[in-house]
Amino acid sequence: RSFTSAEAAELLGIDPARLRKLHFDSKIPEVNTDGRGRRLYSASDLIAIRSALEAQTRKPGQFQPGRRTGDRLQVIAVANYKGGSSKTTTSIHLSQRLALRGYRVLAIDIDPQGSLTTMFGYTTETEFQSGGTVYDAIRYDDPVPMRDVIRKTYFPNLDLAAAGLTLAEFEHETPRALNERREPMFFKRLGLAIDQVEADYDVVVIDCPPQLGFLTMSALIAATTVLITVIPSMLDIASMNQFLQMTAGLLNVVSNYGASLEYDNLKFLITRFEPSDGPQAQMAGFLRALFTDQVMTHTFLKSTAVSDAGLTQQTLYEVDRSEFNRNTYDRAVESINSVTGEVEDLIQAAWGRN
């Protein structure tokens, strides 16, 4: 969808009045207007405006905040052992928001169910029967170059490495590959595939399956940041506890075989949070007491706007705001923007910048 002047100014990080003046002074490209003469900005418009502003600023990276020479590619694995913890919802909103903020983003779906892929408009059951998923780049027999499985999306600055049911084959083939001591080992394969295209991106977001298998382990090894989504309820926290215990044990095993476990960040993100729910608020406080600053400050609120948009395989950056209750929509978007802004701060800090 198009974005209003206020939304465009927020995404660019400038005041709406300054945006209007830049247009008045012809310092940035002009954009389309609606019937009332109000400017409407596409994602492509924002990229062009960023380029123009970057050329005029004295602060390198102010409007194009991606990697510079020497910066390490940031790989964010969104993981949890339990289904329904908003991994896919977090992954796609994070990917789209970072793309709108000027980063070159690659979204990788390693869940055989292909939920993230489906959100990009693909029918995984029919469209990838002859290949074309990330499985083709990490399989043991005749893997293809990672660049061959990456496809452009309808979101500028955002590419996708899709998933499909064939990814389940990786889980079935790995025990035999381990027995045969085939190299590279399973936990290196995804990272090596990402290395093939690392120059093309600033950030990679990996949507992990709701299980602790070989695919999830490969994502955890490839990651520079691990984002663990958790709903603040007793059952979900108990499940997360099991996930952490099993993950720690398995990571210790693979580290003996040369796996690197150096994360820039390991963070817990509270999702589907309802601040007015007393027990949820208590459990959120419990998490913060246990993990202190490892729990992200901002939360991903539970919202009917997110679930309603999902009915048509859309996100809050795709649906028209007028289709929703304005307060409900604005509250949900503010929550998502705040979470993404905190992640963006982590990315910039990993690059040694504020």
Side-chain angles (χ1 to χ4, degrees):
R1 67 174 174 86
S2 297
F3 298 90
T4 65
S5 295
E7 289 175 316
E10 189 273 331
L11 286 166
L12 293 167
I14 60 178
D15 187 84
R18 183 185 175 194
L19 181 60
R20 289 193 296 271
K21 189 173 189 308
L22 287 167
H23 279 296
F24 182 79
D25 294 338
S26 300
K27 291 185 176 181
I28 56 177
E30 197 49 76
V31 299
N32 292 328
T33 58
D34 63 12
R36 301 181 183 179
R38 294 177 299 190
R39 291 185 177 91
L40 296 175
Y41 299 78
S42 69
S44 297
D45 291 332
L46 294 174
I47 293 174
I49 291 172
R50 283 185 185 281
S51 180
L53 291 176
E54 185 71 18
Q56 300 168 31
T57 186
R58 296 180 180 178
K59 299 179 181 179
Q62 181 178 1
F63 297 101
Q64 293 178 328
R67 294 166 67 196
R68 304 175 199 169
T69 302
D71 291 342
R72 180 164 72 149
L73 175 70
Q74 292 299 295
V75 181
I76 303 171
V78 183
N80 200 333
Y81 183 62
K82 195 173 188 302
S85 61
S86 297
K87 290 188 297 295
T88 298
T89 303
T90 299
S91 296
I92 191 165
H93 282 92
L94 179 61
S95 298
Q96 291 183 347
R97 170 74 176 180
L98 288 174
L100 289 169
R101 288 281 294 162
Y103 296 85
R104 300 170 300 160
V105 183
L106 172 63
I108 301 179
D109 190 355
I110 60 166
D111 183 353
Q113 298 176 76
S115 297
L116 181 67
T117 302
T118 300
M119 287 295 289
F120 279 103
Y122 294 99
T123 307
T124 59
E125 297 86 351
T126 59
E127 295 194 56
F128 304 116
Q129 291 182 347
S130 59
T133 71
V134 68
Y135 168 73
D136 298 317
I138 64 173
R139 66 192 181 198
Y140 293 96
D141 295 324
D142 300 320
V144 304
M146 183 66 164
R147 191 166 276 108
D148 289 355
V149 304
I150 292 174
R151 58 196 69 218
K152 296 292 181 183
T153 72
Y154 49 83
F155 240 80
N157 268 0
L158 176 54
D159 295 345
L160 171 70
L165 292 175
T166 53
L167 259 175
E169 295 298 319
F170 188 79
E171 299 286 354
H172 302 149
E173 294 166 355
T174 296
R176 184 174 70 250
L178 287 172
N179 188 54
E180 297 172 356
R181 300 181 181 276
R182 299 186 65 173
E183 293 286 347
M185 297 185 72
F186 77 92
F187 56 83
K188 299 178 182 178
R189 303 185 79 85
L190 181 60
L192 290 172
I194 293 172
D195 287 345
Q196 297 173 24
V197 296
E198 66 92 19
D200 299 336
Y201 301 101
D202 304 311
V203 182
V204 174
V205 178
I206 307 175
D207 186 25
C208 296
Q211 63 186 55
L212 187 56
F214 297 117
L215 286 166
T216 298
M217 290 295 295
S218 65
L220 294 177
I221 298 300
T224 60
T225 289
V226 175
L227 197 59
I228 299 174
T229 57
V230 56
I231 300 171
S233 72
M234 183 57 74
L235 285 177
D236 285 271
I237 290 176
S239 174
M240 184 190 73
N241 175 51
Q242 295 174 335
F243 173 76
L244 292 175
Q245 286 185 322
M246 290 188 293
T247 301
L250 290 171
L251 288 177
N252 283 334
V253 171
V254 296
S255 67
N256 295 329
Y257 291 88
S260 174
L261 303 176
E262 297 178 2
Y263 296 133
D264 292 327
N265 299 283
L266 192 152
K267 294 284 186 177
F268 298 93
L269 171 63
I270 296 174
T271 59
R272 298 179 63 185
F273 182 49
E274 298 182 81
S276 60
D277 186 317
Q280 275 207 0
Q282 283 186 312
M283 294 310 298
F286 177 60
L287 280 172
R288 295 188 187 282
L290 278 177
F291 297 109
T292 60
D293 60 356
Q294 280 189 285
V295 181
M296 293 184 64
T297 302
H298 298 286
T299 61
F300 202 142
L301 298 180
K302 183 176 182 180
S303 173
T304 56
V306 175
S307 55
D308 287 350
L311 291 174
T312 51
Q313 295 174 213
Q314 294 184 96
T315 70
L316 294 189
Y317 301 123
E318 298 174 278
V319 294
D320 194 318
R321 182 185 180 211
S322 63
E323 297 176 10
F324 298 84
N325 176 284
R326 179 167 295 185
N327 291 336
T328 301
Y329 177 89
D330 289 348
R331 182 169 172 267
V333 166
E334 182 181 358
S335 164
I336 295 169
N337 289 352
S338 297
V339 168
T340 307
E342 193 171 346
V343 172
E344 190 177 350
D345 288 344
L346 296 176
I347 292 170
Q348 292 291 325
W351 290 335
R353 303 194 284 273
N354 291 325

